[in-house]
Amino acid sequence: MRLRVEFTTEPFDLDEAPAHALVAREVIEAADLDAVDVGPFGNTAEGGVDEVLAAVDALLRRTLANGATRISLQVNVVGEAGA
């Protein structure tokens, strides 16, 4: 099974990326995921179940530890593994 994760972290700062946003980018880019799209108002990535869930766990723990006060997260099934 393949999953797509979409997320944002808050609070927003339009002048300078907050620490939690930088950490979120670092976590997602370091994970074994594909179709990664990191932007200022939303981020997406796709991968296998284990890879996405491990990345989500790290994302939640590390962004909260770095000042996130809200994390909006959506996970969707997008297909079968290898499809």
Side-chain angles (χ1 to χ4, degrees), residues 10-31:
E10 296 178 43
F12 294 118
D13 184 340
L14 297 178
D15 294 325
E16 184 176 333
H20 60 80
L22 297 175
V23 165
R25 173 180 232 150
E26 178 183 298
V27 167
I28 291 302
E29 289 180 343

Side-chain angles (χ1 to χ4, degrees), residues 22-83:
L22 297 175
V23 165
R25 173 180 232 150
E26 178 183 298
V27 167
I28 291 302
E29 289 180 343
D32 187 21
L33 302 174
D34 49 85
V36 174
D37 183 18
V38 178
F41 299 108
N43 310 283
T44 61
E46 293 183 16
V49 172
D50 291 338
E51 293 79 11
V52 169
L53 295 179
V56 166
D57 178 67
L59 173 80
L60 293 172
R61 292 175 189 280
R62 293 192 54 204
T63 57
L64 289 169
N66 280 276
T69 58
R70 178 182 173 133
I71 303 162
S72 300
L73 178 74
Q74 182 172 328
V75 177
N76 294 301
V77 175
V78 294
E80 293 301 316

